Amino acid sequence: MIQLFERFGNLLRRLLDLVVGAALFAIVLLVCVQVFSRYFLGAPTPGLAEISRILFIWLTFTGSAVLISRRELIVIDLLHDRLGKRSMGRLNVVVDIATAVFLVVLAIYARQLMIIVGQKIAPATGISFDWFYGALLAFCFLGLLFILERLVRTAVACGSAPETRKGVPSEESAS
């Protein structure tokens, strides 16, 4: 079961890496077309600006979810150098739980925001603002999924950690 969960997480990470890369490529391409159109053809393209903006928002939040999955998001590492391996593992679990709580609260408020501004339409493209704020909700869902994967992996690793029983040292402590 845990292997299936990890395979799904790895597949999702690869997929998100591709989505982020494709979004970045599309943004660069759209901005180049906008610049060419505006300065060489004299025809502004406001629709491309809105699409670029939506792509940038999605790139930011899906990229942040990938960083959460790899534990590479910005952290204050005041305690990291001072703690031992066991204490560091416990701190990571506390940070993951705190991040998960934050993501749940953020998802609740993001959904409320989507309900309020969801009726608005982007003027140049006619795209609903739900697409803008949906990235925030997707970030929360993906971040929670990756944190859950990490917490399950940690729980399984702690449950199968070698222990010393009845005076018999484990393989790790014997070497």
Side-chain angles (χ1 to χ4, degrees):
M1 175 73 173
I2 185 72
Q3 294 161 345
L4 182 65
F5 201 42
E6 286 180 356
R7 282 186 191 166
F8 177 72
N10 290 335
L11 179 67
L12 190 56
R13 267 184 283 283
R14 279 189 237 122
L15 179 66
L16 288 174
D17 283 340
L18 290 173
V19 166
V20 167
L24 182 60
F25 179 75
I27 289 168
V28 170
L29 189 66
L30 289 172
V31 169
C32 288
V33 169
Q34 283 177 303
V35 169
F36 181 79
S37 175
R38 177 174 299 228
Y39 293 107
F40 295 107
L41 302 178
T45 53
L48 293 181
E50 283 182 2
I51 293 170
S52 296
R53 193 174 315 125
I54 290 172
L55 286 173
F56 186 71
I57 291 167
W58 277 89
L59 178 142
T60 301
F61 285 109
T62 53
S64 296
V66 171
L67 292 176
I68 283 178
S69 78
R70 295 180 181 154
R71 201 183 286 279
E72 293 177 357
L73 208 54
I74 292 177
V75 297
I76 299 172
D77 57 357
L78 179 69
L79 298 175
H80 287 78
D81 298 334
R82 294 178 172 89
L83 295 177
K85 188 175 181 179
R86 182 174 288 204
S87 297
M88 189 63 193
R90 289 180 183 145
L91 178 64
N92 285 337
V93 169
V94 168
V95 168
D96 280 343
I97 291 170
T99 304
V101 168
F102 171 75
L103 289 174
V104 167
V105 171
L106 186 62
I108 291 167
Y109 284 106
R111 184 63 191 132
Q112 290 175 355
L113 185 63
M114 286 176 70
I115 291 168
I116 293 169
V117 298
Q119 291 103 15
K120 288 187 175 186
I121 303 293
T125 58
I127 296 173
S128 169
F129 272 42
D130 280 340
W131 282 99
F132 290 87
Y133 294 102
L136 186 57
L137 206 55
F139 162 68
C140 294
F141 173 74
L142 291 168
L144 285 169
L145 186 70
F146 289 131
I147 288 172
L148 179 64
E149 175 195 11
R150 194 165 40 237
L151 289 173
V152 167
R153 190 179 329 119
T154 301
V156 168
C158 287
S160 65
E163 299 177 357
T164 304
R165 303 235 181 222
K166 297 182 183 177
V168 178
S170 67
E171 292 177 20
E172 290 181 6
S173 61
S175 53

